[in-house]
Amino acid sequence: MSISDDETTTLFDWKPDREEAAYLIEFLGKSIPFSADTQLLSSPETLCEARLPLVALFSSIASLCVRDYCLQPAPVQLFGRKNNRISLFLACDHAAIGSSACEFSLALVNAIPALDRRKQDQMGSHFKKGFQKARSLAGNHALDHSTRILVRAAIQQGIPHYRMTGKGEIVQLGQGVFRKRISGVLTDDTSGVVTRLQENKPLAMQILTRNKLPVAGVQAAPSIEQAKKIAREMGFPLVVRPNAEIVGKGVTLNINSQGELDSALETAASFGHGLLVERYIQGSDYRLLVVNGSLVAATMSEKPVDVTDEIHPHNSRLAERATRILGMDVAEIIFQSPDISCSWREVPGAITGVNSNPELQSHLAANPKWELAGPMIRKMFPENSDGRIPTVGITGSVGKTTTSRMVADILSQSGKNVALSTTLGAWIGDEQVMQGDLAGGGVASLLMQDSAVEAGVFELARGGLVKYGMIIDAVDVGVMLNVHDNHLGLNGIHTREELSRVKRQVVQNARKLAVLNADDPLCLAARESITAPRTSLVSMVSDNRELLAHQRNGGMVAYLSSDASEPELHLWEGSKQIGQLSCRDIPDSWEGRNRPALINALFAMAAAHGVGVDFDTIQEALSGFKSTMKNNPGRNNYFQDLPYSLVVCQADSSYSMREAAEFAGQMDIPGQKHLLLCAVGDRPDAFIRDKARAIAGLFSSYVCTNYCELRGERQPEDVPMLIATELKACGVPEEQIQVVPSSEDAMKLAYDSLNDDDLLVDTTFSSVHFDEWLEQRGFEWLRL
């Protein structure tokens, strides 16, 4: 969030004296529960000494508002201040939770400098209502208490979690094939029979009765008249309750007269779910929590009081046997007894209810130190499993999509069913399950909710990272390919250094291995913030100083060696060679002439090795990988079956344009070489001119056009004219340059002007559906 201060506020300037601070602390203590819990309000001196007292107070109150509803509550972080604007971050599980807290806290601190002591009661009442409203809004979007307890226990074990719905009724723990889903303490292992018993209490009690367990003889009645008939047959004392899961509501105990019965029946019937009538057992009501066949907690309901150490073994075993008979992994047995320390065999005692989705809050209120969630989590994820599938996250300015596709192919070759998300869409195995630009953590989270997924490879692009962060909590291997300038000036990022700080999130959140470009100083700089136990450096040269030093220290390295008769890709871990691969064996490299393919392959080798794939599998997958319009469209796709030669590639930077030109320059083409190029309109002028300079003089003709979407505020002719002007300034003859603002018209001109044996390099791939374009030109046999 960003907060501004102007002439109407004193957010940054207000400084209380000791008397004001003492009064404010006392006032807030009466108005807002929990305010005394914050260090800032521990004494007047602490508040007075704060650098920005109102900002600090805002942060403290906002944190207090959300802490009970967040899985991992944390203080508000101040991460930027410029002039009269500050930037803050409040961690929460749902935007609505944080928004409600911030709106209340900001209204409070804005009112404090003008606080009138004569109206303190009125203001105090106003703040109380505001606080309660903020808490209520937060609670509406938070996980329920039992689910929150379980998810927090899972987080402590390193198990990832995903909210399946906006309000969090269902949460997934684990990923892909290891996923488990919970709602309260119900899991997807809970059988349909158990669910039916939960909904039909009399049926559950009937089963226990048939097994000779002491039960309170509950019977269901659809109407008040039927309930009265059952009551006459049972005799007093009785219990009447609604026939529904409405904890503690509409229940009347120890009914001993007709008048009491009539009143109790009216109360229970008002809930509209039918009625339950049961025999009343003298004594107290106890909740016996059984998890995986063992009693873990016993609580007296009225107080609540922890009686786990007092319960008689016969009563414990009764609760455990009841859950086994009903087939419940987790259950709360409601047990009535005059004395829980006495056996049910010796004093009158009976089971009065069974709950397969108990609230854990009442038990923790009796004893906050109880570890109730641990046994449930260990049942779902035994032997300290963290429920994670192998995952790779890949970021950078260029090469992300192809590297992601290569890693996915390697993992598929190893036998995994792989989820893949890139700027070109999302796949599970060979099936494309979503279309569009999906290079973000949100889609990665969705893919890991599919139980067929055994591994994940996710392109994590700048746009998603700068707006939303990683979203997914971590990856096993994080890859940072490079940092170029093709997105500067967007979303508040103006320098490559700022851009690198955005992209390094991916390697910062790597759990096992971070893979960095040793040829890029901005990638190397990310080493200082990496927490993964291993780092791999990648270089296009074998004598890179940083790479050699890293290898001497036992680190993993991947590099291109030109010492042999033909270039080779090497992968080492310290002094141990993991494997090597000739460029000739990688079809996409065109025997080493296509440098981007070699770079992508080096990173893919390191990433795949980081998730445990053996080198033979890596070699086999890369030897069979070919970038085509079907599996990797727009990434140096080469067509030889046309009358002319055609290379289709996306080149959204001067670096990419230069690589495409160099690749074309090494191709033996009898005819002429032509270029169809564009630039995105929201890029700076200098960036667009750099693209033009990178390829000036390397082609026989240039068709300059727009990106298919006219982003930014430019006119349609602005971008192609800017490209053409720069080409001319670099010495390209005017007759070799054509300006066509329409991307569709530009493609038609470029393709229809080709002679046999010519080469066209098309860097405007996104402009049309390419298979349809080829079909329009009579090349139906190439339709994808």
Short mmCIF file of all heavy atoms in Angstrom, two decimals, residues 592-646:
data_model
loop_
_atom_site.label_atom_id
_atom_site.label_comp_id
_atom_site.label_asym_id
_atom_site.label_seq_id
_atom_site.Cartn_x
_atom_site.Cartn_y
_atom_site.Cartn_z
N GLY A 592 25.79 -25.61 -33.27
CA GLY A 592 26.43 -24.54 -32.52
C GLY A 592 26.21 -23.16 -33.08
O GLY A 592 26.61 -22.17 -32.46
N ARG A 593 25.55 -23.05 -34.22
CA ARG A 593 25.36 -21.72 -34.82
C ARG A 593 24.26 -20.93 -34.13
O ARG A 593 24.25 -19.70 -34.17
CB ARG A 593 25.03 -21.88 -36.31
CG ARG A 593 26.24 -22.27 -37.17
CD ARG A 593 25.83 -22.51 -38.61
NE ARG A 593 25.10 -23.77 -38.75
CZ ARG A 593 24.52 -24.17 -39.87
NH1 ARG A 593 24.55 -23.38 -40.93
NH2 ARG A 593 23.89 -25.31 -39.92
N ASN A 594 23.30 -21.61 -33.52
CA ASN A 594 22.19 -20.93 -32.83
C ASN A 594 22.54 -20.82 -31.35
O ASN A 594 22.24 -21.68 -30.54
CB ASN A 594 20.90 -21.73 -33.03
CG ASN A 594 19.70 -21.04 -32.43
OD1 ASN A 594 19.76 -19.88 -32.02
ND2 ASN A 594 18.59 -21.76 -32.34
N ARG A 595 23.21 -19.73 -30.99
CA ARG A 595 23.70 -19.56 -29.61
C ARG A 595 22.59 -19.58 -28.56
O ARG A 595 22.77 -20.17 -27.49
CB ARG A 595 24.49 -18.25 -29.51
CG ARG A 595 25.90 -18.33 -30.03
CD ARG A 595 26.55 -16.95 -30.02
NE ARG A 595 26.36 -16.25 -28.75
CZ ARG A 595 27.17 -16.37 -27.72
NH1 ARG A 595 28.23 -17.16 -27.80
NH2 ARG A 595 26.95 -15.70 -26.60
N PRO A 596 21.44 -18.95 -28.80
CA PRO A 596 20.40 -18.99 -27.76
C PRO A 596 20.01 -20.41 -27.35
O PRO A 596 19.77 -20.66 -26.18
CB PRO A 596 19.23 -18.25 -28.42
CG PRO A 596 19.88 -17.30 -29.36
CD PRO A 596 21.06 -18.05 -29.91
N ALA A 597 19.98 -21.33 -28.31
CA ALA A 597 19.62 -22.71 -27.98
C ALA A 597 20.66 -23.34 -27.07
O ALA A 597 20.33 -24.14 -26.17
CB ALA A 597 19.47 -23.53 -29.25
N LEU A 598 21.94 -23.00 -27.26
CA LEU A 598 23.00 -23.53 -26.40
C LEU A 598 22.88 -22.99 -24.98
O LEU A 598 23.05 -23.72 -24.00
CB LEU A 598 24.37 -23.18 -26.98
CG LEU A 598 24.69 -23.75 -28.37
CD1 LEU A 598 26.07 -23.27 -28.82
CD2 LEU A 598 24.64 -25.27 -28.35
N ILE A 599 22.61 -21.67 -24.88
CA ILE A 599 22.44 -21.06 -23.57
C ILE A 599 21.27 -21.72 -22.83
O ILE A 599 21.36 -22.09 -21.66
CB ILE A 599 22.21 -19.55 -23.70
CG1 ILE A 599 23.42 -18.89 -24.36
CG2 ILE A 599 21.92 -18.92 -22.35
CD1 ILE A 599 23.19 -17.43 -24.71
N ASN A 600 20.15 -21.87 -23.55
CA ASN A 600 18.98 -22.49 -22.93
C ASN A 600 19.29 -23.91 -22.47
O ASN A 600 18.87 -24.33 -21.38
CB ASN A 600 17.82 -22.53 -23.94
CG ASN A 600 17.38 -21.13 -24.37
OD1 ASN A 600 17.54 -20.17 -23.63
ND2 ASN A 600 16.86 -21.02 -25.57
N ALA A 601 20.02 -24.66 -23.29
CA ALA A 601 20.34 -26.04 -22.95
C ALA A 601 21.24 -26.12 -21.72
O ALA A 601 21.08 -27.01 -20.87
CB ALA A 601 21.01 -26.73 -24.14
N LEU A 602 22.21 -25.19 -21.59
CA LEU A 602 23.08 -25.19 -20.40
C LEU A 602 22.28 -24.99 -19.12
O LEU A 602 22.46 -25.70 -18.13
CB LEU A 602 24.12 -24.08 -20.53
CG LEU A 602 25.29 -24.33 -21.50
CD1 LEU A 602 26.09 -23.05 -21.69
CD2 LEU A 602 26.20 -25.44 -20.97
N PHE A 603 21.37 -24.02 -19.15
CA PHE A 603 20.54 -23.78 -17.96
C PHE A 603 19.61 -24.96 -17.69
O PHE A 603 19.38 -25.33 -16.53
CB PHE A 603 19.74 -22.49 -18.14
CG PHE A 603 20.51 -21.24 -17.85
CD1 PHE A 603 21.06 -20.49 -18.87
CD2 PHE A 603 20.69 -20.82 -16.54
CE1 PHE A 603 21.77 -19.33 -18.60
CE2 PHE A 603 21.41 -19.66 -16.26
CZ PHE A 603 21.96 -18.91 -17.30
N ALA A 604 19.07 -25.54 -18.75
CA ALA A 604 18.17 -26.68 -18.58
C ALA A 604 18.90 -27.87 -17.97
O ALA A 604 18.34 -28.59 -17.12
CB ALA A 604 17.55 -27.06 -19.93
N MET A 605 20.15 -28.11 -18.40
CA MET A 605 20.95 -29.20 -17.83
C MET A 605 21.13 -29.02 -16.33
O MET A 605 20.91 -29.94 -15.53
CB MET A 605 22.32 -29.25 -18.51
CG MET A 605 22.32 -29.77 -19.94
SD MET A 605 23.87 -29.42 -20.84
CE MET A 605 25.10 -30.05 -19.72
N ALA A 606 21.52 -27.80 -15.93
CA ALA A 606 21.77 -27.53 -14.50
C ALA A 606 20.49 -27.66 -13.69
O ALA A 606 20.47 -28.24 -12.60
CB ALA A 606 22.38 -26.14 -14.33
N ALA A 607 19.38 -27.11 -14.21
CA ALA A 607 18.11 -27.15 -13.48
C ALA A 607 17.61 -28.58 -13.31
O ALA A 607 17.17 -28.98 -12.23
CB ALA A 607 17.07 -26.30 -14.19
N ALA A 608 17.67 -29.36 -14.39
CA ALA A 608 17.20 -30.74 -14.32
C ALA A 608 18.03 -31.57 -13.36
O ALA A 608 17.51 -32.38 -12.58
CB ALA A 608 17.22 -31.36 -15.72
N HIS A 609 19.35 -31.36 -13.39
CA HIS A 609 20.22 -32.06 -12.44
C HIS A 609 19.87 -31.66 -11.00
O HIS A 609 19.92 -32.48 -10.09
CB HIS A 609 21.68 -31.74 -12.72
CG HIS A 609 22.63 -32.46 -11.81
ND1 HIS A 609 22.85 -33.82 -11.87
CD2 HIS A 609 23.42 -31.99 -10.80
CE1 HIS A 609 23.74 -34.17 -10.94
NE2 HIS A 609 24.10 -33.07 -10.29
N GLY A 610 19.46 -30.40 -10.82
CA GLY A 610 19.10 -29.92 -9.49
C GLY A 610 17.88 -30.58 -8.90
O GLY A 610 17.73 -30.60 -7.68
N VAL A 611 17.00 -31.11 -9.74
CA VAL A 611 15.83 -31.84 -9.22
C VAL A 611 16.02 -33.34 -9.33
O VAL A 611 15.07 -34.12 -9.26
CB VAL A 611 14.52 -31.41 -9.92
CG1 VAL A 611 14.11 -30.02 -9.47
CG2 VAL A 611 14.63 -31.49 -11.43
N GLY A 612 17.29 -33.77 -9.54
CA GLY A 612 17.61 -35.19 -9.41
C GLY A 612 17.54 -36.03 -10.67
O GLY A 612 17.55 -37.26 -10.58
N VAL A 613 17.49 -35.40 -11.85
CA VAL A 613 17.45 -36.18 -13.09
C VAL A 613 18.86 -36.58 -13.48
O VAL A 613 19.78 -35.75 -13.47
CB VAL A 613 16.79 -35.38 -14.23
CG1 VAL A 613 16.72 -36.21 -15.50
CG2 VAL A 613 15.39 -34.91 -13.82
N ASP A 614 19.07 -37.84 -13.83
CA ASP A 614 20.40 -38.31 -14.21
C ASP A 614 20.79 -37.76 -15.58
O ASP A 614 19.92 -37.40 -16.40
CB ASP A 614 20.45 -39.84 -14.23
CG ASP A 614 19.53 -40.44 -15.27
OD1 ASP A 614 19.96 -40.62 -16.43
OD2 ASP A 614 18.35 -40.71 -14.94
N PHE A 615 22.12 -37.70 -15.85
CA PHE A 615 22.57 -37.04 -17.07
C PHE A 615 22.19 -37.80 -18.33
O PHE A 615 21.97 -37.19 -19.38
CB PHE A 615 24.09 -36.81 -17.04
CG PHE A 615 24.55 -35.86 -18.11
CD1 PHE A 615 24.43 -34.50 -17.93
CD2 PHE A 615 25.05 -36.33 -19.32
CE1 PHE A 615 24.82 -33.61 -18.93
CE2 PHE A 615 25.44 -35.45 -20.31
CZ PHE A 615 25.32 -34.08 -20.11
N ASP A 616 22.11 -39.11 -18.27
CA ASP A 616 21.71 -39.87 -19.46
C ASP A 616 20.32 -39.43 -19.94
O ASP A 616 20.07 -39.30 -21.14
CB ASP A 616 21.72 -41.37 -19.17
CG ASP A 616 23.13 -41.93 -19.06
OD1 ASP A 616 24.07 -41.25 -19.50
OD2 ASP A 616 23.29 -43.04 -18.51
N THR A 617 19.42 -39.22 -18.98
CA THR A 617 18.07 -38.76 -19.33
C THR A 617 18.11 -37.35 -19.87
O THR A 617 17.41 -37.02 -20.84
CB THR A 617 17.16 -38.84 -18.09
OG1 THR A 617 17.13 -40.18 -17.61
CG2 THR A 617 15.75 -38.39 -18.43
N ILE A 618 18.94 -36.49 -19.26
CA ILE A 618 19.08 -35.12 -19.75
C ILE A 618 19.57 -35.12 -21.19
O ILE A 618 19.04 -34.42 -22.06
CB ILE A 618 20.05 -34.34 -18.85
CG1 ILE A 618 19.46 -34.16 -17.44
CG2 ILE A 618 20.40 -32.99 -19.47
CD1 ILE A 618 20.43 -33.56 -16.44
N GLN A 619 20.60 -35.93 -21.46
CA GLN A 619 21.18 -36.00 -22.81
C GLN A 619 20.16 -36.52 -23.82
O GLN A 619 20.03 -35.96 -24.92
CB GLN A 619 22.41 -36.90 -22.79
CG GLN A 619 23.10 -37.02 -24.15
CD GLN A 619 24.41 -37.78 -24.06
OE1 GLN A 619 24.77 -38.28 -23.00
NE2 GLN A 619 25.13 -37.86 -25.14
N GLU A 620 19.43 -37.54 -23.44
CA GLU A 620 18.45 -38.11 -24.36
C GLU A 620 17.36 -37.10 -24.69
O GLU A 620 16.94 -36.97 -25.86
CB GLU A 620 17.83 -39.37 -23.74
CG GLU A 620 16.89 -40.11 -24.68
CD GLU A 620 16.40 -41.42 -24.09
OE1 GLU A 620 16.83 -41.78 -22.97
OE2 GLU A 620 15.56 -42.08 -24.74
N ALA A 621 16.88 -36.35 -23.68
CA ALA A 621 15.82 -35.38 -23.92
C ALA A 621 16.29 -34.23 -24.79
O ALA A 621 15.61 -33.82 -25.74
CB ALA A 621 15.30 -34.87 -22.58
N LEU A 622 17.48 -33.66 -24.50
CA LEU A 622 17.98 -32.54 -25.29
C LEU A 622 18.33 -32.96 -26.70
O LEU A 622 18.21 -32.18 -27.65
CB LEU A 622 19.20 -31.92 -24.60
CG LEU A 622 18.93 -31.15 -23.30
CD1 LEU A 622 20.23 -30.63 -22.70
CD2 LEU A 622 17.96 -30.00 -23.55
N SER A 623 18.78 -34.21 -26.87
CA SER A 623 19.11 -34.70 -28.22
C SER A 623 17.86 -34.84 -29.07
O SER A 623 17.94 -34.85 -30.30
CB SER A 623 19.83 -36.04 -28.12
OG SER A 623 21.06 -35.90 -27.44
N GLY A 624 16.70 -34.96 -28.43
CA GLY A 624 15.46 -35.08 -29.18
C GLY A 624 14.64 -33.81 -29.23
O GLY A 624 13.57 -33.78 -29.83
N PHE A 625 15.15 -32.75 -28.58
CA PHE A 625 14.38 -31.52 -28.51
C PHE A 625 14.57 -30.68 -29.77
O PHE A 625 15.69 -30.41 -30.18
CB PHE A 625 14.80 -30.69 -27.29
CG PHE A 625 14.02 -29.41 -27.14
CD1 PHE A 625 12.82 -29.41 -26.47
CD2 PHE A 625 14.49 -28.22 -27.68
CE1 PHE A 625 12.09 -28.23 -26.33
CE2 PHE A 625 13.78 -27.05 -27.54
CZ PHE A 625 12.57 -27.05 -26.87
N LYS A 626 13.47 -30.27 -30.34
CA LYS A 626 13.51 -29.38 -31.49
C LYS A 626 12.42 -28.34 -31.34
O LYS A 626 11.26 -28.67 -31.10
CB LYS A 626 13.35 -30.14 -32.81
CG LYS A 626 13.65 -29.28 -34.03
CD LYS A 626 13.69 -30.11 -35.30
CE LYS A 626 14.07 -29.25 -36.50
NZ LYS A 626 14.10 -30.03 -37.76
N SER A 627 12.79 -27.08 -31.46
CA SER A 627 11.84 -25.99 -31.27
C SER A 627 10.99 -25.84 -32.52
O SER A 627 11.47 -25.37 -33.56
CB SER A 627 12.60 -24.69 -30.98
OG SER A 627 11.73 -23.67 -30.64
N THR A 628 9.74 -26.26 -32.44
CA THR A 628 8.84 -26.20 -33.59
C THR A 628 7.66 -25.29 -33.28
O THR A 628 7.45 -24.87 -32.14
CB THR A 628 8.31 -27.61 -33.93
OG1 THR A 628 7.42 -28.03 -32.87
CG2 THR A 628 9.44 -28.60 -34.07
N MET A 629 6.89 -25.00 -34.33
CA MET A 629 5.70 -24.18 -34.13
C MET A 629 4.66 -24.88 -33.29
O MET A 629 3.75 -24.24 -32.76
CB MET A 629 5.10 -23.82 -35.49
CG MET A 629 5.91 -22.82 -36.26
SD MET A 629 5.98 -21.19 -35.47
CE MET A 629 4.29 -20.67 -35.63
N LYS A 630 4.78 -26.19 -33.11
CA LYS A 630 3.82 -26.92 -32.29
C LYS A 630 4.20 -26.91 -30.82
O LYS A 630 3.38 -26.64 -29.95
CB LYS A 630 3.69 -28.36 -32.79
CG LYS A 630 2.66 -29.18 -32.02
CD LYS A 630 2.49 -30.56 -32.62
CE LYS A 630 1.42 -31.34 -31.86
NZ LYS A 630 1.23 -32.70 -32.40
N ASN A 631 5.48 -27.19 -30.53
CA ASN A 631 5.85 -27.32 -29.11
C ASN A 631 6.46 -26.05 -28.53
O ASN A 631 6.48 -25.86 -27.31
CB ASN A 631 6.82 -28.49 -28.91
CG ASN A 631 8.22 -28.20 -29.45
OD1 ASN A 631 8.44 -27.22 -30.14
ND2 ASN A 631 9.16 -29.07 -29.14
N ASN A 632 6.96 -25.13 -29.40
CA ASN A 632 7.61 -23.93 -28.89
C ASN A 632 7.52 -22.82 -29.93
O ASN A 632 8.52 -22.32 -30.44
CB ASN A 632 9.09 -24.25 -28.58
CG ASN A 632 9.72 -23.24 -27.65
OD1 ASN A 632 9.06 -22.66 -26.81
ND2 ASN A 632 11.01 -23.02 -27.82
N PRO A 633 6.30 -22.39 -30.24
CA PRO A 633 6.10 -21.45 -31.36
C PRO A 633 6.76 -20.10 -31.13
O PRO A 633 6.76 -19.56 -30.03
CB PRO A 633 4.57 -21.32 -31.43
CG PRO A 633 4.08 -21.73 -30.07
CD PRO A 633 5.04 -22.77 -29.60
N GLY A 634 7.37 -19.60 -32.22
CA GLY A 634 7.96 -18.28 -32.17
C GLY A 634 9.34 -18.23 -31.57
O GLY A 634 9.88 -17.16 -31.31
N ARG A 635 9.95 -19.41 -31.34
CA ARG A 635 11.28 -19.45 -30.73
C ARG A 635 12.26 -20.09 -31.70
O ARG A 635 12.55 -21.27 -31.65
CB ARG A 635 11.24 -20.24 -29.42
CG ARG A 635 10.94 -19.39 -28.20
CD ARG A 635 9.54 -18.85 -28.21
NE ARG A 635 9.26 -17.94 -27.08
CZ ARG A 635 8.14 -17.26 -26.95
NH1 ARG A 635 7.19 -17.36 -27.86
NH2 ARG A 635 7.96 -16.46 -25.92
N ASN A 636 12.71 -19.29 -32.68
CA ASN A 636 13.62 -19.76 -33.72
C ASN A 636 13.12 -21.01 -34.42
O ASN A 636 13.83 -22.00 -34.55
CB ASN A 636 15.02 -20.00 -33.13
CG ASN A 636 15.88 -18.76 -33.22
OD1 ASN A 636 15.37 -17.65 -33.36
ND2 ASN A 636 17.19 -18.94 -33.15
N ASN A 637 11.88 -20.95 -34.88
CA ASN A 637 11.32 -22.05 -35.67
C ASN A 637 11.80 -21.88 -37.12
O ASN A 637 11.62 -20.83 -37.72
CB ASN A 637 9.79 -22.01 -35.62
CG ASN A 637 9.26 -21.90 -34.20
OD1 ASN A 637 8.38 -21.11 -33.94
ND2 ASN A 637 9.79 -22.69 -33.28
N TYR A 638 12.38 -22.95 -37.66
CA TYR A 638 12.98 -22.88 -39.00
C TYR A 638 12.18 -23.75 -39.95
O TYR A 638 11.97 -24.94 -39.70
CB TYR A 638 14.44 -23.33 -38.95
CG TYR A 638 15.18 -23.22 -40.27
CD1 TYR A 638 14.99 -22.12 -41.09
CD2 TYR A 638 16.06 -24.21 -40.69
CE1 TYR A 638 15.67 -22.00 -42.30
CE2 TYR A 638 16.75 -24.11 -41.89
CZ TYR A 638 16.54 -23.00 -42.69
OH TYR A 638 17.21 -22.88 -43.88
N PHE A 639 11.70 -23.14 -41.06
CA PHE A 639 10.93 -23.86 -42.06
C PHE A 639 11.80 -24.03 -43.32
O PHE A 639 12.26 -23.04 -43.89
CB PHE A 639 9.66 -23.07 -42.42
CG PHE A 639 8.66 -22.99 -41.31
CD1 PHE A 639 8.82 -22.06 -40.29
CD2 PHE A 639 7.57 -23.84 -41.26
CE1 PHE A 639 7.90 -21.96 -39.27
CE2 PHE A 639 6.65 -23.76 -40.24
CZ PHE A 639 6.81 -22.83 -39.24
N GLN A 640 11.97 -25.29 -43.75
CA GLN A 640 12.75 -25.58 -44.95
C GLN A 640 11.88 -26.11 -46.08
O GLN A 640 12.36 -26.26 -47.20
CB GLN A 640 13.83 -26.61 -44.64
CG GLN A 640 14.92 -26.10 -43.71
CD GLN A 640 15.93 -27.17 -43.40
OE1 GLN A 640 15.63 -28.16 -42.73
NE2 GLN A 640 17.15 -27.02 -43.90
N ASP A 641 10.61 -26.41 -45.80
CA ASP A 641 9.76 -27.06 -46.80
C ASP A 641 8.93 -26.07 -47.60
O ASP A 641 7.97 -26.44 -48.26
CB ASP A 641 8.83 -28.06 -46.10
CG ASP A 641 9.61 -29.17 -45.43
OD1 ASP A 641 10.66 -29.56 -45.96
OD2 ASP A 641 9.17 -29.65 -44.36
N LEU A 642 9.27 -24.79 -47.52
CA LEU A 642 8.60 -23.76 -48.31
C LEU A 642 9.47 -23.43 -49.52
O LEU A 642 10.65 -23.81 -49.57
CB LEU A 642 8.40 -22.51 -47.45
CG LEU A 642 7.60 -22.69 -46.14
CD1 LEU A 642 7.72 -21.43 -45.28
CD2 LEU A 642 6.15 -22.99 -46.43
N PRO A 643 8.93 -22.71 -50.51
CA PRO A 643 9.77 -22.30 -51.64
C PRO A 643 10.95 -21.44 -51.19
O PRO A 643 11.99 -21.40 -51.83
CB PRO A 643 8.80 -21.50 -52.52
CG PRO A 643 7.45 -22.01 -52.16
CD PRO A 643 7.52 -22.34 -50.70
N TYR A 644 10.77 -20.74 -50.09
CA TYR A 644 11.83 -19.93 -49.51
C TYR A 644 12.14 -20.47 -48.12
O TYR A 644 11.45 -21.35 -47.61
CB TYR A 644 11.38 -18.47 -49.41
CG TYR A 644 9.97 -18.30 -48.92
CD1 TYR A 644 9.66 -18.40 -47.56
CD2 TYR A 644 8.92 -18.06 -49.83
CE1 TYR A 644 8.36 -18.26 -47.12
CE2 TYR A 644 7.61 -17.92 -49.38
CZ TYR A 644 7.34 -18.03 -48.02
OH TYR A 644 6.05 -17.90 -47.58
N SER A 645 13.19 -19.96 -47.51
CA SER A 645 13.51 -20.34 -46.13
C SER A 645 12.88 -19.32 -45.19
O SER A 645 12.80 -18.12 -45.49
CB SER A 645 15.02 -20.38 -45.92
OG SER A 645 15.60 -21.40 -46.72
N LEU A 646 12.45 -19.80 -44.02
CA LEU A 646 11.74 -18.94 -43.08
C LEU A 646 12.17 -19.25 -41.64
O LEU A 646 12.20 -20.41 -41.24
CB LEU A 646 10.22 -19.16 -43.22
CG LEU A 646 9.32 -18.45 -42.21
CD1 LEU A 646 9.42 -16.94 -42.36
CD2 LEU A 646 7.87 -18.90 -42.39
#
